[in-house]
PDB file of all heavy atoms in Angstrom:
ATOM      1  N   PHE A 730      -2.288  -5.421 -10.279  1.00  0.00           N
ATOM      2  CA  PHE A 730      -1.587  -5.013  -8.962  1.00  0.00           C
ATOM      3  C   PHE A 730      -0.801  -3.695  -9.183  1.00  0.00           C
ATOM      4  O   PHE A 730      -0.826  -2.793  -8.464  1.00  0.00           O
ATOM      5  CB  PHE A 730      -0.717  -6.129  -8.468  1.00  0.00           C
ATOM      6  CG  PHE A 730      -0.111  -5.928  -7.107  1.00  0.00           C
ATOM      7  CD1 PHE A 730      -0.907  -6.006  -5.927  1.00  0.00           C
ATOM      8  CD2 PHE A 730       1.123  -5.637  -6.963  1.00  0.00           C
ATOM      9  CE1 PHE A 730      -0.463  -5.829  -4.685  1.00  0.00           C
ATOM     10  CE2 PHE A 730       1.751  -5.425  -5.707  1.00  0.00           C
ATOM     11  CZ  PHE A 730       0.970  -5.462  -4.581  1.00  0.00           C
ATOM     12  N   ARG A 731      -0.054  -3.739 -10.281  1.00  0.00           N
ATOM     13  CA  ARG A 731       0.844  -2.574 -10.564  1.00  0.00           C
ATOM     14  C   ARG A 731      -0.100  -1.321 -10.888  1.00  0.00           C
ATOM     15  O   ARG A 731       0.256  -0.202 -10.470  1.00  0.00           O
ATOM     16  CB  ARG A 731       1.790  -2.851 -11.694  1.00  0.00           C
ATOM     17  CG  ARG A 731       2.914  -3.820 -11.416  1.00  0.00           C
ATOM     18  CD  ARG A 731       3.774  -4.051 -12.644  1.00  0.00           C
ATOM     19  NE  ARG A 731       4.871  -4.869 -12.392  1.00  0.00           N
ATOM     20  CZ  ARG A 731       5.920  -4.471 -11.835  1.00  0.00           C
ATOM     21  NH1 ARG A 731       6.158  -3.165 -11.517  1.00  0.00           N
ATOM     22  NH2 ARG A 731       6.957  -5.360 -11.639  1.00  0.00           N
ATOM     23  N   GLU A 732      -1.173  -1.587 -11.486  1.00  0.00           N
ATOM     24  CA  GLU A 732      -1.999  -0.460 -11.888  1.00  0.00           C
ATOM     25  C   GLU A 732      -2.706   0.166 -10.668  1.00  0.00           C
ATOM     26  O   GLU A 732      -2.736   1.378 -10.566  1.00  0.00           O
ATOM     27  CB  GLU A 732      -3.078  -1.001 -12.916  1.00  0.00           C
ATOM     28  CG  GLU A 732      -3.985   0.186 -13.448  1.00  0.00           C
ATOM     29  CD  GLU A 732      -3.281   1.082 -14.457  1.00  0.00           C
ATOM     30  OE1 GLU A 732      -2.172   0.750 -14.858  1.00  0.00           O
ATOM     31  OE2 GLU A 732      -3.689   2.273 -14.531  1.00  0.00           O
ATOM     32  N   VAL A 733      -3.175  -0.685  -9.754  1.00  0.00           N
ATOM     33  CA  VAL A 733      -3.873  -0.125  -8.591  1.00  0.00           C
ATOM     34  C   VAL A 733      -2.885   0.571  -7.673  1.00  0.00           C
ATOM     35  O   VAL A 733      -3.265   1.595  -7.102  1.00  0.00           O
ATOM     36  CB  VAL A 733      -4.559  -1.274  -7.785  1.00  0.00           C
ATOM     37  CG1 VAL A 733      -3.582  -2.178  -7.047  1.00  0.00           C
ATOM     38  CG2 VAL A 733      -5.630  -0.703  -6.832  1.00  0.00           C
ATOM     39  N   LEU A 734      -1.649   0.051  -7.627  1.00  0.00           N
ATOM     40  CA  LEU A 734      -0.613   0.840  -6.774  1.00  0.00           C
ATOM     41  C   LEU A 734      -0.285   2.142  -7.459  1.00  0.00           C
ATOM     42  O   LEU A 734      -0.087   3.152  -6.709  1.00  0.00           O
ATOM     43  CB  LEU A 734       0.597   0.016  -6.683  1.00  0.00           C
ATOM     44  CG  LEU A 734       0.466  -1.310  -5.873  1.00  0.00           C
ATOM     45  CD1 LEU A 734       1.898  -1.989  -5.706  1.00  0.00           C
ATOM     46  CD2 LEU A 734      -0.123  -1.117  -4.513  1.00  0.00           C
ATOM     47  N   LYS A 735      -0.243   2.251  -8.738  1.00  0.00           N
ATOM     48  CA  LYS A 735       0.109   3.483  -9.463  1.00  0.00           C
ATOM     49  C   LYS A 735      -0.972   4.503  -9.161  1.00  0.00           C
ATOM     50  O   LYS A 735      -0.674   5.653  -9.094  1.00  0.00           O
ATOM     51  CB  LYS A 735       0.234   3.097 -10.888  1.00  0.00           C
ATOM     52  CG  LYS A 735       0.577   4.282 -11.768  1.00  0.00           C
ATOM     53  CD  LYS A 735       0.626   3.925 -13.202  1.00  0.00           C
ATOM     54  CE  LYS A 735       0.887   5.161 -14.145  1.00  0.00           C
ATOM     55  NZ  LYS A 735       0.975   4.776 -15.589  1.00  0.00           N
ATOM     56  N   ASN A 736      -2.215   4.077  -9.070  1.00  0.00           N
ATOM     57  CA  ASN A 736      -3.273   5.005  -8.913  1.00  0.00           C
ATOM     58  C   ASN A 736      -3.682   5.385  -7.467  1.00  0.00           C
ATOM     59  O   ASN A 736      -4.608   6.216  -7.235  1.00  0.00           O
ATOM     60  CB  ASN A 736      -4.521   4.498  -9.606  1.00  0.00           C
ATOM     61  CG  ASN A 736      -4.333   4.427 -11.171  1.00  0.00           C
ATOM     62  OD1 ASN A 736      -3.625   5.275 -11.753  1.00  0.00           O
ATOM     63  ND2 ASN A 736      -4.886   3.348 -11.733  1.00  0.00           N
ATOM     64  N   HIS A 737      -3.028   4.670  -6.555  1.00  0.00           N
ATOM     65  CA  HIS A 737      -3.286   4.836  -5.131  1.00  0.00           C
ATOM     66  C   HIS A 737      -2.751   6.189  -4.629  1.00  0.00           C
ATOM     67  O   HIS A 737      -1.685   6.621  -5.148  1.00  0.00           O
ATOM     68  CB  HIS A 737      -2.724   3.730  -4.283  1.00  0.00           C
ATOM     69  CG  HIS A 737      -3.141   3.678  -2.869  1.00  0.00           C
ATOM     70  ND1 HIS A 737      -4.402   3.419  -2.489  1.00  0.00           N
ATOM     71  CD2 HIS A 737      -2.370   3.986  -1.715  1.00  0.00           C
ATOM     72  CE1 HIS A 737      -4.495   3.438  -1.195  1.00  0.00           C
ATOM     73  NE2 HIS A 737      -3.301   3.821  -0.689  1.00  0.00           N
ATOM     74  N   ASP A 738      -3.484   6.888  -3.722  1.00  0.00           N
ATOM     75  CA  ASP A 738      -3.061   8.140  -3.178  1.00  0.00           C
ATOM     76  C   ASP A 738      -2.029   7.880  -1.995  1.00  0.00           C
ATOM     77  O   ASP A 738      -2.454   7.747  -0.879  1.00  0.00           O
ATOM     78  CB  ASP A 738      -4.194   8.972  -2.698  1.00  0.00           C
ATOM     79  CG  ASP A 738      -3.804  10.318  -2.027  1.00  0.00           C
ATOM     80  OD1 ASP A 738      -2.677  10.724  -2.303  1.00  0.00           O
ATOM     81  OD2 ASP A 738      -4.622  10.878  -1.371  1.00  0.00           O
ATOM     82  N   TRP A 739      -0.772   7.905  -2.314  1.00  0.00           N
ATOM     83  CA  TRP A 739       0.220   7.576  -1.216  1.00  0.00           C
ATOM     84  C   TRP A 739       0.583   8.731  -0.418  1.00  0.00           C
ATOM     85  O   TRP A 739       1.130   8.615   0.690  1.00  0.00           O
ATOM     86  CB  TRP A 739       1.535   7.127  -1.931  1.00  0.00           C
ATOM     87  CG  TRP A 739       1.328   5.781  -2.713  1.00  0.00           C
ATOM     88  CD1 TRP A 739       1.103   5.746  -4.095  1.00  0.00           C
ATOM     89  CD2 TRP A 739       1.173   4.525  -2.213  1.00  0.00           C
ATOM     90  NE1 TRP A 739       0.919   4.451  -4.458  1.00  0.00           N
ATOM     91  CE2 TRP A 739       0.902   3.596  -3.260  1.00  0.00           C
ATOM     92  CE3 TRP A 739       1.196   3.985  -0.937  1.00  0.00           C
ATOM     93  CZ2 TRP A 739       0.786   2.304  -3.153  1.00  0.00           C
ATOM     94  CZ3 TRP A 739       1.120   2.522  -0.838  1.00  0.00           C
ATOM     95  CH2 TRP A 739       0.873   1.690  -1.904  1.00  0.00           C
ATOM     96  N   SER A 740       0.184   9.940  -0.795  1.00  0.00           N
ATOM     97  CA  SER A 740       0.385  11.093   0.000  1.00  0.00           C
ATOM     98  C   SER A 740      -0.315  11.114   1.312  1.00  0.00           C
ATOM     99  O   SER A 740       0.043  11.872   2.183  1.00  0.00           O
ATOM    100  CB  SER A 740      -0.038  12.452  -0.800  1.00  0.00           C
ATOM    101  OG  SER A 740      -1.346  12.437  -0.987  1.00  0.00           O
ATOM    102  N   GLN A 741      -1.341  10.244   1.420  1.00  0.00           N
ATOM    103  CA  GLN A 741      -2.116  10.226   2.768  1.00  0.00           C
ATOM    104  C   GLN A 741      -1.271   9.586   3.832  1.00  0.00           C
ATOM    105  O   GLN A 741      -1.618   9.706   4.989  1.00  0.00           O
ATOM    106  CB  GLN A 741      -3.366   9.450   2.506  1.00  0.00           C
ATOM    107  CG  GLN A 741      -3.091   7.935   2.173  1.00  0.00           C
ATOM    108  CD  GLN A 741      -4.413   7.163   1.930  1.00  0.00           C
ATOM    109  OE1 GLN A 741      -5.195   7.028   2.877  1.00  0.00           O
ATOM    110  NE2 GLN A 741      -4.602   6.783   0.678  1.00  0.00           N
ATOM    111  N   TYR A 742      -0.135   9.096   3.446  1.00  0.00           N
ATOM    112  CA  TYR A 742       0.792   8.467   4.526  1.00  0.00           C
ATOM    113  C   TYR A 742       1.924   9.326   4.829  1.00  0.00           C
ATOM    114  O   TYR A 742       2.919   8.936   5.406  1.00  0.00           O
ATOM    115  CB  TYR A 742       1.239   7.104   4.046  1.00  0.00           C
ATOM    116  CG  TYR A 742       0.096   6.190   3.515  1.00  0.00           C
ATOM    117  CD1 TYR A 742      -0.009   5.848   2.191  1.00  0.00           C
ATOM    118  CD2 TYR A 742      -0.759   5.613   4.434  1.00  0.00           C
ATOM    119  CE1 TYR A 742      -0.962   4.978   1.753  1.00  0.00           C
ATOM    120  CE2 TYR A 742      -1.772   4.812   4.044  1.00  0.00           C
ATOM    121  CZ  TYR A 742      -1.852   4.520   2.645  1.00  0.00           C
ATOM    122  OH  TYR A 742      -2.939   3.641   2.232  1.00  0.00           O
ATOM    123  N   GLN A 743       1.760  10.641   4.488  1.00  0.00           N
ATOM    124  CA  GLN A 743       2.909  11.582   4.783  1.00  0.00           C
ATOM    125  C   GLN A 743       3.230  11.551   6.264  1.00  0.00           C
ATOM    126  O   GLN A 743       2.467  11.816   7.138  1.00  0.00           O
ATOM    127  CB  GLN A 743       2.435  12.999   4.449  1.00  0.00           C
ATOM    128  CG  GLN A 743       3.496  14.069   4.488  1.00  0.00           C
ATOM    129  CD  GLN A 743       4.541  13.888   3.483  1.00  0.00           C
ATOM    130  OE1 GLN A 743       4.338  13.795   2.256  1.00  0.00           O
ATOM    131  NE2 GLN A 743       5.882  13.971   3.898  1.00  0.00           N
ATOM    132  N   ASN A 744       4.522  11.313   6.526  1.00  0.00           N
ATOM    133  CA  ASN A 744       5.096  11.264   7.905  1.00  0.00           C
ATOM    134  C   ASN A 744       4.496  10.198   8.795  1.00  0.00           C
ATOM    135  O   ASN A 744       4.587  10.319  10.021  1.00  0.00           O
ATOM    136  CB  ASN A 744       4.988  12.663   8.570  1.00  0.00           C
ATOM    137  CG  ASN A 744       5.834  13.707   7.855  1.00  0.00           C
ATOM    138  OD1 ASN A 744       6.918  13.328   7.416  1.00  0.00           O
ATOM    139  ND2 ASN A 744       5.340  14.883   7.849  1.00  0.00           N
ATOM    140  N   HIS A 745       3.920   9.209   8.243  1.00  0.00           N
ATOM    141  CA  HIS A 745       3.368   8.092   9.024  1.00  0.00           C
ATOM    142  C   HIS A 745       4.393   7.048   9.257  1.00  0.00           C
ATOM    143  O   HIS A 745       5.347   6.913   8.464  1.00  0.00           O
ATOM    144  CB  HIS A 745       2.172   7.445   8.267  1.00  0.00           C
ATOM    145  CG  HIS A 745       0.926   8.266   8.287  1.00  0.00           C
ATOM    146  ND1 HIS A 745      -0.339   7.689   8.279  1.00  0.00           N
ATOM    147  CD2 HIS A 745       0.733   9.557   8.370  1.00  0.00           C
ATOM    148  CE1 HIS A 745      -1.277   8.629   8.242  1.00  0.00           C
ATOM    149  NE2 HIS A 745      -0.609   9.802   8.279  1.00  0.00           N
ATOM    150  N   PHE A 746       4.225   6.267  10.362  1.00  0.00           N
ATOM    151  CA  PHE A 746       4.926   4.995  10.553  1.00  0.00           C
ATOM    152  C   PHE A 746       4.001   3.905   9.872  1.00  0.00           C
ATOM    153  O   PHE A 746       2.901   3.718  10.416  1.00  0.00           O
ATOM    154  CB  PHE A 746       5.228   4.737  11.935  1.00  0.00           C
ATOM    155  CG  PHE A 746       6.078   5.782  12.646  1.00  0.00           C
ATOM    156  CD1 PHE A 746       5.554   6.727  13.593  1.00  0.00           C
ATOM    157  CD2 PHE A 746       7.440   5.902  12.339  1.00  0.00           C
ATOM    158  CE1 PHE A 746       6.348   7.628  14.193  1.00  0.00           C
ATOM    159  CE2 PHE A 746       8.269   6.836  12.893  1.00  0.00           C
ATOM    160  CZ  PHE A 746       7.673   7.732  13.808  1.00  0.00           C
ATOM    161  N   VAL A 747       4.474   3.131   8.951  1.00  0.00           N
ATOM    162  CA  VAL A 747       3.590   2.271   8.247  1.00  0.00           C
ATOM    163  C   VAL A 747       4.021   0.842   8.293  1.00  0.00           C
ATOM    164  O   VAL A 747       5.292   0.522   8.175  1.00  0.00           O
ATOM    165  CB  VAL A 747       3.516   2.702   6.750  1.00  0.00           C
ATOM    166  CG1 VAL A 747       2.593   1.734   5.974  1.00  0.00           C
ATOM    167  CG2 VAL A 747       3.053   4.146   6.569  1.00  0.00           C
ATOM    168  N   ALA A 748       3.079  -0.016   8.579  1.00  0.00           N
ATOM    169  CA  ALA A 748       3.254  -1.458   8.520  1.00  0.00           C
ATOM    170  C   ALA A 748       2.453  -2.000   7.379  1.00  0.00           C
ATOM    171  O   ALA A 748       1.388  -1.889   7.215  1.00  0.00           O
ATOM    172  CB  ALA A 748       2.757  -2.075   9.880  1.00  0.00           C
ATOM    173  N   ILE A 749       3.327  -2.841   6.652  1.00  0.00           N
ATOM    174  CA  ILE A 749       2.671  -3.509   5.509  1.00  0.00           C
ATOM    175  C   ILE A 749       2.518  -5.047   5.876  1.00  0.00           C
ATOM    176  O   ILE A 749       3.393  -5.686   6.352  1.00  0.00           O
ATOM    177  CB  ILE A 749       3.627  -3.476   4.189  1.00  0.00           C
ATOM    178  CG1 ILE A 749       3.924  -2.063   3.868  1.00  0.00           C
ATOM    179  CG2 ILE A 749       2.999  -4.201   3.029  1.00  0.00           C
ATOM    180  CD1 ILE A 749       5.014  -1.937   2.831  1.00  0.00           C
ATOM    181  N   HIS A 750       1.229  -5.526   5.638  1.00  0.00           N
ATOM    182  CA  HIS A 750       0.956  -6.903   5.947  1.00  0.00           C
ATOM    183  C   HIS A 750      -0.190  -7.365   5.019  1.00  0.00           C
ATOM    184  O   HIS A 750      -0.731  -6.651   4.292  1.00  0.00           O
ATOM    185  CB  HIS A 750       0.609  -7.029   7.417  1.00  0.00           C
ATOM    186  CG  HIS A 750      -0.946  -6.861   7.673  1.00  0.00           C
ATOM    187  ND1 HIS A 750      -1.700  -7.789   8.188  1.00  0.00           N
ATOM    188  CD2 HIS A 750      -1.693  -5.776   7.336  1.00  0.00           C
ATOM    189  CE1 HIS A 750      -2.955  -7.411   8.287  1.00  0.00           C
ATOM    190  NE2 HIS A 750      -2.951  -6.230   7.776  1.00  0.00           N
ATOM    191  N   CYS A 751      -0.412  -8.670   5.081  1.00  0.00           N
ATOM    192  CA  CYS A 751      -1.555  -9.304   4.336  1.00  0.00           C
ATOM    193  C   CYS A 751      -2.410 -10.086   5.246  1.00  0.00           C
ATOM    194  O   CYS A 751      -1.973 -10.854   6.047  1.00  0.00           O
ATOM    195  CB  CYS A 751      -0.961 -10.223   3.219  1.00  0.00           C
ATOM    196  SG  CYS A 751      -2.345 -10.932   2.179  1.00  0.00           S
ATOM    197  N   SER A 752      -3.664  -9.645   5.333  1.00  0.00           N
ATOM    198  CA  SER A 752      -4.560 -10.260   6.354  1.00  0.00           C
ATOM    199  C   SER A 752      -5.133 -11.678   5.881  1.00  0.00           C
ATOM    200  O   SER A 752      -5.860 -12.376   6.745  1.00  0.00           O
ATOM    201  CB  SER A 752      -5.818  -9.314   6.527  1.00  0.00           C
ATOM    202  OG  SER A 752      -6.491  -9.115   5.356  1.00  0.00           O
ATOM    203  N   THR A 753      -4.824 -12.128   4.752  1.00  0.00           N
ATOM    204  CA  THR A 753      -5.264 -13.406   4.289  1.00  0.00           C
ATOM    205  C   THR A 753      -4.102 -14.383   4.128  1.00  0.00           C
ATOM    206  O   THR A 753      -2.937 -13.928   4.372  1.00  0.00           O
ATOM    207  CB  THR A 753      -5.958 -13.300   2.889  1.00  0.00           C
ATOM    208  OG1 THR A 753      -5.073 -12.979   1.953  1.00  0.00           O
ATOM    209  CG2 THR A 753      -7.079 -12.266   2.866  1.00  0.00           C
ATOM    210  N   ASP A 754      -4.395 -15.605   3.821  1.00  0.00           N
ATOM    211  CA  ASP A 754      -3.243 -16.597   3.737  1.00  0.00           C
ATOM    212  C   ASP A 754      -2.747 -16.609   2.190  1.00  0.00           C
ATOM    213  O   ASP A 754      -2.187 -17.627   1.754  1.00  0.00           O
ATOM    214  CB  ASP A 754      -3.832 -17.978   3.980  1.00  0.00           C
ATOM    215  CG  ASP A 754      -4.197 -18.079   5.543  1.00  0.00           C
ATOM    216  OD1 ASP A 754      -3.474 -17.420   6.321  1.00  0.00           O
ATOM    217  OD2 ASP A 754      -5.064 -18.803   5.873  1.00  0.00           O
ATOM    218  N   ALA A 755      -2.905 -15.491   1.468  1.00  0.00           N
ATOM    219  CA  ALA A 755      -2.472 -15.461   0.140  1.00  0.00           C
ATOM    220  C   ALA A 755      -0.843 -15.629   0.112  1.00  0.00           C
ATOM    221  O   ALA A 755      -0.160 -15.115   1.004  1.00  0.00           O
ATOM    222  CB  ALA A 755      -2.765 -14.162  -0.488  1.00  0.00           C
ATOM    223  N   ILE A 756      -0.431 -16.365  -0.888  1.00  0.00           N
ATOM    224  CA  ILE A 756       0.980 -16.543  -1.115  1.00  0.00           C
ATOM    225  C   ILE A 756       1.435 -15.467  -2.063  1.00  0.00           C
ATOM    226  O   ILE A 756       1.087 -15.512  -3.223  1.00  0.00           O
ATOM    227  CB  ILE A 756       1.291 -17.924  -1.749  1.00  0.00           C
ATOM    228  CG1 ILE A 756       0.849 -19.034  -0.715  1.00  0.00           C
ATOM    229  CG2 ILE A 756       2.811 -18.117  -1.985  1.00  0.00           C
ATOM    230  CD1 ILE A 756       0.977 -20.418  -1.175  1.00  0.00           C
ATOM    231  N   LEU A 757       2.198 -14.549  -1.543  1.00  0.00           N
ATOM    232  CA  LEU A 757       2.701 -13.432  -2.320  1.00  0.00           C
ATOM    233  C   LEU A 757       4.121 -13.529  -2.870  1.00  0.00           C
ATOM    234  O   LEU A 757       4.969 -14.112  -2.122  1.00  0.00           O
ATOM    235  CB  LEU A 757       2.626 -12.051  -1.505  1.00  0.00           C
ATOM    236  CG  LEU A 757       1.143 -11.724  -1.000  1.00  0.00           C
ATOM    237  CD1 LEU A 757       1.403 -10.533  -0.072  1.00  0.00           C
ATOM    238  CD2 LEU A 757       0.212 -11.359  -2.119  1.00  0.00           C
TER     239      LEU A 757
END
């Protein structure tokens, strides 16, 4: 999980309003 977040391109969300959610019933 940490690795995939580290390599994700976060700049694509520049000046966005962002909602974080989980579409499954996973217990996080």
Side-chain angles (χ1 to χ4, degrees):
F730 187 73
R731 288 181 178 274
E732 186 66 21
V733 74
L734 294 187
K735 181 181 177 181
N736 295 324
H737 189 69
D738 179 16
W739 299 100
S740 65
Q741 63 183 296
Y742 308 109
Q743 184 71 48
N744 295 325
H745 286 209
F746 299 109
V747 181
I749 303 172
H750 87 121
C751 183
S752 60
T753 68
D754 294 328
I756 299 175
L757 300 174

